[in-house]
Amino acid sequence: MNAQIINGIEIARLVRAEWKLRADRLIQLGVPPGLAVIIIGDNPASSIYVRNKVKACTEIGIYSEVHSFPEDVEQSEVLDCIQELNESSRVHGILVQLPLPAHFENNRIITSIAIEKDVDGFHFFNVGALVTGNAVFLPCTPYGVMTMLMRHHIPIEGQHVVVVGRSNIVGKPMAFMLLEQGATVTICTSKTRDLAQFTKNADILVVATGKARMITAEMVKPGAVVIDVGINRLTNGKLCGDVDYEAVKTIAGYITPVPGGVGPMTITMLLCNTILAAERAQAGIRMVATN
Ligand code: GUN
């Protein structure tokens, strides 16, 4: 039996069409949603991501501005830029493209973004809010995964979910979002001893390790939902995920392809978070720590 394919391109299209109506309303009110993207250095992958983000903003009616800095820029210059953006009424969301150059203090940068403009949801306040069930912004990639599960009416409560990967961007927020929805969550890493013993017990398996095709068919329970967050480039130039797609799709109940799975959802959820931030600003809702 072949798995049902979870088509990220199609779901992204539907979600964007719905949120475009919300963006249109803000535009009519004279408050077009605005996103500022900061990019430092010339990492080719980051440059492509940023270009795609700007294109997606334009398509949905979000104003965007890109602030590019050379690799050797002083951290203080970037902090000054973030401070200006925090105060700008034109900008509702701020995203600093990661990874940062080695001389940067990631935590200083992330925590300098205003909580109510942190559309990545990476600020420590927002991480704490998420973990305690008070999320201000859901981090874009796990938010995209949750949306895919919801659109397919895949039950989460009571299910055993195994998340492979413990990054701050995907693995950790993913685990807490699923926990919040009542799943029993196991967090593994690519180095977990006897990883298959865990993955074979997963009703839902989310993989975000960055290791090409590391999840093989023997590691998957028949009928499981398999979500592949990985995007790896093979030596032949082709893209593949962290899951051996061709083999696993004969075992799984549902599976996301790469490309065309989680990838298109990440940018979509960034657009949603930016529109949400603009709606809050327009309504005068402030998201600030009270002490
Ligand atoms: N680099 C890779 N993924 C992300 C992301 O979701 N947000 C940011 N800011 N940088 C990234």
Side-chain angles (χ1 to χ4, degrees):
M1 194 195 75
N2 261 356
Q4 198 171 324
I5 311 300
I6 303 181
N7 183 337
I9 297 169
E10 183 60 18
I11 299 173
R13 198 178 58 74
L14 293 171
V15 172
R16 287 185 201 200
E18 290 165 16
W19 281 78
K20 182 162 191 322
L21 303 176
R22 293 168 69 160
D24 287 346
R25 188 187 73 92
L26 290 166
I27 292 163
Q28 274 162 19
L29 289 171
V31 193
L35 176 70
V37 180
I38 296 177
I39 178 165
I40 305 156
D42 47 15
N43 178 322
S46 291
S47 303
I48 293 170
Y49 287 139
V50 169
R51 211 178 314 136
N52 289 341
K53 283 168 186 170
V54 169
K55 182 165 168 271
C57 281
T58 307
E59 283 167 6
I60 204 168
I62 293 176
Y63 159 79
S64 66
E65 53 186 54
V66 177
H67 298 262
S68 301
F69 294 94
E71 180 87 18
D72 60 357
V73 66
E74 295 270 349
Q75 174 168 283
S76 59
E77 203 178 314
V78 175
L79 287 170
D80 288 346
C81 174
I82 293 171
Q83 195 49 44
E84 274 178 34
L85 295 170
N86 282 343
E87 287 160 18
S88 162
S89 59
R90 194 96 179 70
V91 167
H92 306 99
I94 302 169
L95 179 144
V96 180
Q97 187 64 33
L98 302 176
L100 296 172
H103 66 284
F104 272 72
E105 300 162 289
N106 270 24
N107 294 344
R108 272 294 293 286
I109 296 292
I110 287 169
T111 55
S112 70
I113 298 171
I115 291 159
E116 65 271 30
K117 296 191 179 188
D118 173 34
V119 284
D120 261 328
F122 295 164
H123 190 293
F124 294 173
F125 178 92
N126 285 333
V127 175
L130 172 72
V131 169
T132 53
N134 300 288
V136 175
F137 292 108
L138 299 173
C140 302
T141 301
Y143 185 11
V145 172
M146 296 303 283
T147 304
M148 295 173 110
L149 296 174
M150 271 175 40
R151 295 273 162 159
H152 278 270
H153 307 288
I154 292 167
I156 295 172
E157 193 176 49
Q159 300 296 296
H160 184 202
V161 182
V162 174
V163 177
V164 189
R166 50 153 197 158
S167 71
N168 292 338
I169 294 180
V170 185
K172 284 182 211 158
M174 183 82 260
F176 281 106
M177 285 160 70
L178 289 159
L179 188 64
E180 193 60 29
Q181 295 301 315
T184 302
V185 182
T186 302
I187 308 175
C188 299
T189 74
S190 61
K191 303 221 171 68
T192 295
R193 185 160 19 95
D194 209 353
L195 179 61
Q197 284 306 323
F198 295 93
T199 58
K200 268 195 292 202
N201 279 312
D203 300 310
I204 302 173
L205 177 60
V206 182
V207 192
T209 60
K211 303 227 180 299
R213 294 179 180 152
M214 71 165 291
I215 300 294
T216 59
E218 304 74 54
M219 298 169 81
V220 175
K221 179 161 96 172
V225 178
V226 180
I227 307 289
D228 189 351
V229 181
I231 303 181
N232 310 288
R233 196 168 289 281
L234 299 169
T235 44
N236 65 9
K238 287 204 172 141
L239 293 178
C240 78
D242 297 349
V243 173
D244 183 355
Y245 180 78
E246 289 304 324
V248 172
K249 80 168 196 254
T250 66
I251 301 280
Y254 290 87
I255 192 166
T256 61
V258 177
V262 177
M265 295 301 295
T266 297
I267 292 188
T268 301
M269 304 336 280
L270 172 68
L271 303 175
C272 300
N273 278 347
T274 304
I275 295 165
L276 181 63
E279 286 176 344
R280 287 176 180 154
Q282 193 273 326
I285 299 167
R286 297 197 65 218
M287 297 281 168
V288 289
T290 49
N291 55 7

